[in-house]
Amino acid sequence: MTHADSGSPGETGAGATTRDSGFQQPDTEGRTAPVFGRGSQFHECFNDPRWALAMVRATVLEAAHPQIGAALIDNSTFVAHPWRRLRNTIVSMQRMFGPDDHVRQREAARLNRLHGRLNGTDARSRPYDAMDPEVRAWVVATMFESAVTMCRLSGQPLEQHAMERLYTEFQAFLAALGDEAGHLPPTLQEFWHYYDRVVERELENTEAMRIILYKLFDHLPAPPLLNGLPTLWAAGRTIAGPAIGAITVASLPEVFRRRAGLPELPGAETVMQGAYLAVGLARFLPGHWLRTDSIADLLALSPDSDDPRARTVTALCDKMSRAAALIRLIAPLPPEPQSTPAGGLQRGAEEFFHEVLDQTGNGYLDWPDLAAMARELSSRLDLDEPQESRLYSAFADWWRELQAALDADGDGRISAEEYATAAPSLAGPALIKVAEVLFDATDKDGNQTIDADEHRTLFRTAFHRDATDAGTAYTRSAFIKDFLSFMTGRRRTTPYDPLLAQA
């Protein structure tokens, strides 16, 4: 496939010039409606509370594709850092479906660079490539079909014209990535034949799919803002985790459930439909309560953030903790796990390995873990080329340095035991280079200091006294010293823990 030039229009089956964010499609009364931005069918779906259930379902169908499942297992942080992954996905979808065509083109270029780095072979030696146009088409297909299904399961099926509008918008999304027309069928009627064929012939019971259904929600870490309520979170997760898994399985196509051997629990379909109906009732709440991006931002805030919303939730959590302490005086409940305060306390080497270095959560340190760090930092800083490649290259050099020093058995990866026994506190030149490149990327104006706005872009919080120079700027030397102290001394710090360690 030839990658489409970013300035040339592509076409969907509806004849849309999908590169133009001003493209209009007819609505039911013959008027024009936008493909992207406010007024689009997608915009209505995006802030619908049922969208959460639909996207879980779509993610399972994506993970069931052999190529996507292998890429997730090898490269994704969805197990160890699910909340971070969720927020980044939401931000990306906002950019791609928003009204600004320049923002969309920048995000499409970023996604293509990201996908271009994701390739390899699965456990059965089958190749996978995130830039495969058929694979990318399937990702878009699952999002569209799951949006349609969420409406049907809620007792409010989309009318034909609304379904066709939504399909045109997802075709435009795929074309905005530069993929040629034809990887999604041109008409909605043909789409359903395509969808059924992939479900029946290509999807598998992959490891990634099983993790999402049976491990992720059962062991889902608390979002950063709710870290102070581990017992309450664990209790809620114990109930909600299996329920979400059962609801998702019940919503999958029956032919695939049979082929994959997924258990069909008695009454699961009734519970599933009830869940969709109940969640759908939330749409009657005030609109500003349901903004997907606002909810994701709130969950991503750390408890010590200077954001007023974080302070409000933290105060509420403190009251709930005191109430829980009173209950424990009356009832013999297990003690609340003690959280470790942030201000500079050291971790053990294995704890640091699992919380910071093992970004993919597979129990080993290898290149995808450091690539995930580079990806997260590039996303936070919204880097373009060549800065993004410079950051990836610095992390690649660090990986080679770590591998040479710590891979004792030569298996191409580093275990927690190898890391813990091999002097991880030594800061080599490659790690120093990572710190320097990260400083340069953060220092947007090039004045050799990080000001308050630049600090907030990277760390999503204001300056803290222990990380500032005279309270007004963060110097190069102070930044590099703090970064190395975190990455080698295993120190818990207020800015760096939320950056790389939080879920």
Side-chain angles (χ1 to χ4, degrees):
M1 185 196 77
T2 303
H3 187 87
D5 183 84
S6 61
S8 61
E11 289 190 356
T12 68
T17 53
T18 55
R19 281 292 180 189
D20 181 5
S21 63
F23 168 76
Q24 305 286 305
Q25 55 182 328
D27 63 13
T28 53
E29 299 178 2
R31 297 172 301 190
T32 56
V35 169
F36 297 117
R38 287 188 177 275
S40 67
Q41 195 69 37
F42 175 83
H43 188 268
E44 295 181 21
C45 291
F46 187 68
N47 289 313
D48 190 313
R50 296 170 297 177
W51 184 251
L53 293 173
M55 287 303 97
V56 172
R57 181 182 183 277
T59 302
V60 169
L61 288 170
E62 291 172 24
H65 191 288
Q67 286 203 57
I68 299 172
L72 286 173
I73 287 295
D74 287 351
N75 301 279
S76 180
T77 62
F78 75 100
V79 173
H81 302 278
W83 298 105
R84 190 175 77 192
R85 169 73 187 271
L86 172 65
R87 186 182 188 279
N88 289 344
T89 299
I90 289 172
V91 170
S92 180
M93 294 185 74
Q94 282 184 305
R95 292 171 177 172
M96 289 300 297
F97 281 96
D100 191 322
D101 193 51
H102 175 68
V103 170
R104 180 165 35 261
Q105 290 185 26
R106 285 190 71 239
E107 180 62 12
R110 186 189 73 84
L111 289 173
N112 286 333
R113 293 195 302 271
L114 186 157
H115 292 158
R117 296 184 174 102
L118 304 181
N119 53 74
T121 56
D122 66 11
R124 294 164 57 182
S125 299
R126 296 178 297 183
Y128 68 82
D129 185 351
M131 285 298 288
D132 185 325
E134 296 294 340
V135 170
R136 282 150 65 100
W138 177 246
V139 171
V140 175
T142 63
M143 290 192 290
F144 165 72
E145 189 274 341
S146 291
V148 172
T149 297
M150 85 175 184
C151 295
R152 176 176 56 81
L153 294 177
S154 305
Q156 296 177 316
L158 288 176
E159 296 182 6
Q160 184 68 19
H161 70 87
M163 202 182 306
E164 290 177 347
R165 279 185 58 197
L166 186 62
Y167 187 57
T168 297
E169 291 163 12
F170 275 106
Q171 286 177 306
F173 165 69
L174 189 61
L177 290 172
D179 288 7
E180 295 176 350
H183 296 298
L184 277 180
T187 67
L188 184 58
Q189 182 179 5
E190 292 173 286
F191 170 82
W192 297 117
H193 294 293
Y194 153 81
Y195 177 82
D196 290 341
R197 177 183 57 78
V198 175
V199 167
E200 292 174 9
R201 300 180 185 178
E202 298 185 27
L203 301 191
E204 299 176 1
N205 188 343
T206 65
E207 181 184 358
M209 186 196 74
R210 293 193 299 272
I211 288 175
I212 295 170
L213 287 175
Y214 303 119
K215 179 181 176 181
L216 178 60
F217 293 109
D218 287 357
H219 301 85
L220 186 69
L225 198 58
L226 300 180
N227 271 337
L229 298 171
T231 299
L232 181 63
W233 178 261
R237 183 182 60 196
T238 300
I239 299 172
I244 293 174
I247 289 168
T248 304
V249 169
S251 72
L252 297 175
E254 183 179 358
V255 64
F256 175 64
R257 296 204 307 266
R258 290 198 305 268
R259 283 185 57 241
L262 297 176
E264 299 184 28
L265 300 178
E269 290 202 10
T270 302
V271 173
M272 171 206 47
Q273 291 182 329
Y276 273 92
L277 287 169
V279 173
L281 294 176
R283 68 185 182 278
F284 297 111
L285 295 172
H288 64 280
W289 289 16
L290 301 177
R291 286 184 55 86
T292 302
D293 54 344
S294 298
I295 295 172
D297 285 343
L298 180 63
L299 292 174
L301 292 173
S302 58
D304 55 0
S305 171
D306 62 329
D307 190 297
R309 297 172 299 172
R311 291 198 295 267
T312 300
V313 175
T314 300
L316 178 61
C317 289
D318 288 341
K319 292 180 179 179
M320 294 175 68
S321 295
R322 287 195 290 270
L326 179 61
I327 292 173
R328 285 195 298 273
L329 289 175
I330 302 171
L333 297 175
E336 191 86 11
Q338 296 297 313
S339 59
T340 305
L345 297 181
Q346 280 198 312
R347 295 177 171 91
E350 288 201 24
E351 185 182 6
F352 177 78
F353 181 94
H354 292 295
E355 290 186 4
V356 179
L357 295 180
D358 183 15
Q359 292 282 305
T360 59
N362 66 353
Y364 292 91
L365 171 62
D366 51 14
W367 166 240
D369 296 301
L370 301 194
M373 293 185 194
R375 186 163 63 243
E376 172 63 17
L377 296 171
S378 297
S379 297
R380 285 202 179 208
L381 296 171
D382 196 18
L383 298 183
D384 283 325
E385 292 287 28
Q387 279 188 314
E388 181 182 275
S389 289
R390 188 176 175 226
L391 186 61
Y392 271 90
S393 294
F395 272 97
D397 290 341
W398 184 35
W399 165 239
R400 286 188 284 270
E401 183 178 80
L402 286 170
Q403 192 176 23
L406 305 179
D407 183 14
D409 59 9
D411 64 351
R413 57 187 185 177
I414 299 167
S415 68
E417 292 76 15
E418 287 175 326
Y419 177 80
T421 59
S425 61
L426 179 63
L431 182 58
I432 296 172
K433 181 65 174 179
V434 170
E436 292 174 340
V437 171
L438 180 58
F439 177 88
D440 292 339
T442 308
D443 178 24
K444 296 291 188 182
D445 56 14
N447 67 352
Q448 297 303 302
T449 61
I450 294 175
D451 60 27
D453 290 339
E454 292 165 342
H455 187 280
R456 185 175 291 280
T457 298
L458 178 61
F459 295 112
R460 294 178 184 155
T461 190
F463 279 130
H464 291 273
R465 292 181 180 178
D466 61 347
T468 60
D469 181 10
T472 59
Y474 203 179
T475 65
R476 172 182 283 270
S477 60
F479 179 93
I480 292 174
K481 177 183 176 182
D482 287 346
F483 183 81
L484 295 179
S485 176
F486 174 74
M487 295 301 295
T488 63
R490 303 182 298 279
R491 285 191 169 274
R492 300 178 188 277
T493 68
T494 299
Y496 288 99
D497 263 79
L499 183 63
L500 292 174
Q502 284 186 346

